[in-house]
Amino acid sequence: MMAMTKTNEVLKPFENVRRVVIKIGSALLVDRKSGLRTEWLDSVCADIAALRARGIDVLVVSSGAIALGRSVLKLPSGALKLEESQASAAVGQIELARAWSESLHRDDIVAGQILLTFGDTEERRRYLNARATLTQLLKLKAVPIINENDTVATNEIRYGDNDRLAARVATMIGADLLVLLSDIDGLYTAPPHLDPEALFLPIIPEITPEIEAMAGGAASELSRGGMRTKVEAGKIATAAGCAMLIASGKVLNPLKSIENGARFSKFEAARNPVNARKTWIAGQLHPAGELLVDEGAEDALYSGKSLLPAGVKAIEGHFSRGDTVAIMSPEGHEIGRGLAGYDDADARLIAGRKSGEIEKILGYAGRAAMVHRDDLVMTHAGGQNRETKKGRKKANG
């Protein structure tokens, strides 16, 4: 069973946090009868401004477009057809973006709207483009307001909830912390409204099958998520080195309340986040091509450096920037996998050339690395092959 000795009073959830993603549930933001909860939204934006004043980057994944749109359109309660949901989203997205923009503007903060689809975070090239846009918004001191693009997403190709989307955004942007504001204050051993003996879990060191079994269903017609999707989000975030909190958002200034001692459940990040992310790159993606490297590049890769064009001897396959490629040793053994910094056509043109020559060859200032070290994992088998090869060289004198 989970350790129950720690309390949230001794935890400081935003201490040493550089970047945080905050997910807002529909039921918190929109009232079925009265529409947008403006006072609550203003209080959240005040909390965001306070975090920003401490130098913390803030991104928001905001549900509520469909809920707000159906309120504006005065649609009846109950399940919506796909086309009704998409029409509601079309109306609600405008209202939601305006509300966030106006509320953040009170503290002279600029909001930027980002509408993502499932493919934007699952397909590598679109993932990189989305990441670049989010990164630039943060550099410009804007707060990205992110939602799934419900106007075009279909039931077959969608996240279906913003909990998992928020986790994908958190891993995409390298966040330290993901906060899921909900209508419940954390994870319990059983649904507390059904089981009075349910125990509250303040700390979840790792997500085990036992933890997954504790998840319940959705609590509101305005929300497509439930505790199950929150635990799934936790699996995505924590494996990539991002801690996650589930906390109640029912009160005004919910982020401030968390800092002042309101209880929450914390899912702790993986102990070795870099390896966790790189393990995901190596194990989950199928290489679209191969990059054959020379011995100098091989040594550089094992010392933790990026793969530069100069070290690439040959290229196989057809791939786009952001696709997974296998990195092959001079002997033709796979030693690693990574995300390509160039399309295969451009990669062939600059292979074997110095990084300073890239702009002259391609006609534009490209990336210095063929595969950046942050997007690269060296395989265990490759490391063994390298040590064996070095041993043979030493023996041969």
Side-chain angles (χ1 to χ4, degrees):
M1 193 61 199
M2 296 294 100
M4 303 290 291
T5 55
K6 288 186 180 180
T7 64
N8 294 147
E9 282 71 24
V10 300
L11 298 176
K12 297 180 180 180
F14 296 104
E15 186 176 39
N16 299 321
V17 170
R18 175 182 58 90
R19 182 168 291 168
V20 60
V21 174
I22 301 164
K23 184 264 176 177
I24 311 291
S26 295
L28 298 175
L29 195 57
V30 181
D31 181 85
R32 184 68 184 90
K33 296 180 180 180
S34 60
L36 186 71
R37 290 189 169 102
T38 304
E39 183 183 11
W40 185 87
L41 176 60
D42 288 344
S43 77
V44 172
C45 289
D47 287 351
I48 291 172
L51 292 176
R52 285 274 306 264
R54 291 159 54 180
I56 299 174
D57 289 338
V58 180
L59 301 90
V60 176
V61 175
S62 176
S63 302
I66 292 177
L68 186 56
R70 72 182 293 168
S71 178
V72 173
L73 294 171
K74 303 187 186 306
L75 295 178
S77 60
L80 296 176
K81 298 177 182 178
L82 175 61
E83 59 269 24
E84 291 175 327
S85 293
Q86 292 178 326
S88 296
V91 173
Q93 282 171 357
I94 293 175
E95 295 295 319
L96 190 63
R98 178 185 58 80
W100 276 105
S101 180
E102 290 180 353
S103 188
L104 286 169
H105 185 68
R106 298 172 189 271
D107 288 289
D108 296 322
I109 298 173
V110 175
Q113 184 185 46
I114 301 288
L115 298 177
L116 296 175
T117 63
F118 182 83
D120 291 328
T121 57
E122 296 301 299
E123 295 178 19
R124 309 307 295 177
R125 187 169 189 171
R126 290 156 68 182
Y127 167 94
L128 289 176
N129 288 337
R131 184 175 70 178
T133 300
L134 290 170
T135 300
Q136 188 61 33
L137 283 171
L138 294 176
K139 286 182 179 179
L140 296 172
K141 306 302 181 184
V143 171
I145 307 297
I146 303 151
N147 194 5
E148 183 164 14
N149 194 348
D150 292 305
T151 61
V152 298
T154 64
N155 290 331
E156 294 78 18
I157 309 175
R158 67 174 308 122
Y159 277 97
D161 65 89
N162 272 344
D163 294 323
R164 287 175 292 185
L165 175 59
R168 287 296 190 192
V169 169
T171 60
M172 175 193 297
I173 202 65
D176 309 291
L177 181 64
L178 169 63
V179 179
L180 303 182
L181 293 179
S182 180
D183 52 6
I184 190 169
D185 57 3
L187 179 65
Y188 290 76
T189 55
H193 63 288
L194 299 177
D195 184 356
E197 302 299 320
L199 298 176
F200 178 79
L201 301 178
I203 300 291
I204 297 90
E206 61 179 343
I207 298 175
T208 63
E210 179 187 17
I211 291 297
E212 293 186 75
M214 296 174 186
S220 166
E221 70 168 21
L222 297 181
S223 172
R224 291 186 300 240
M227 192 55 67
R228 181 171 299 279
T229 66
K230 289 171 176 54
V231 171
E232 291 174 356
K235 292 169 67 176
I236 295 170
T238 58
C242 177
M244 187 182 85
L245 307 184
I246 300 175
S248 174
K250 289 183 176 181
V251 298
L252 295 177
N253 301 101
L255 301 175
K256 183 178 180 181
S257 295
I258 291 172
E259 290 206 278
N260 288 342
R263 70 180 185 177
F264 54 82
S265 291
K266 181 180 181 180
F267 293 71
E268 295 186 338
R271 293 182 180 179
N272 196 332
V274 173
N275 284 347
R277 178 180 179 275
K278 292 185 176 183
T279 298
W280 174 75
I281 292 175
Q284 298 297 322
L285 302 175
H286 300 289
E290 296 180 355
L291 306 180
L292 182 70
V293 302
D294 60 26
E295 291 187 359
E298 183 182 15
D299 289 340
L301 291 173
Y302 278 109
S303 67
K305 296 180 181 179
S306 299
L307 175 60
L308 302 181
V312 178
K313 296 170 59 179
I315 293 171
E316 296 290 336
H318 297 287
F319 50 86
S320 299
R321 181 172 70 88
D323 286 345
T324 305
V325 292
I327 299 172
M328 315 298 289
S329 72
E331 294 79 22
H333 303 295
E334 181 178 318
I335 60 172
R337 292 187 184 184
L339 305 182
Y342 288 92
D343 296 346
D344 67 274
D346 285 351
R348 287 185 170 88
L349 291 174
I350 62 175
R353 308 295 289 269
K354 295 180 179 179
S355 298
E357 300 178 80
I358 292 175
E359 185 171 5
K360 182 178 179 180
I361 295 171
L362 300 182
Y364 65 91
R367 299 163 183 256
M370 189 79 82
V371 178
H372 195 275
R373 63 183 180 183
D374 290 345
D375 297 325
L376 172 72
V377 54
M378 304 305 293
T379 64
H380 180 68
Q384 290 177 330
N385 291 339
R386 177 174 178 263
E387 293 305 315
T388 299
K389 183 177 70 174
K390 282 193 168 185
R392 287 199 302 266
K393 281 186 176 182
K394 185 176 182 179
N396 293 332

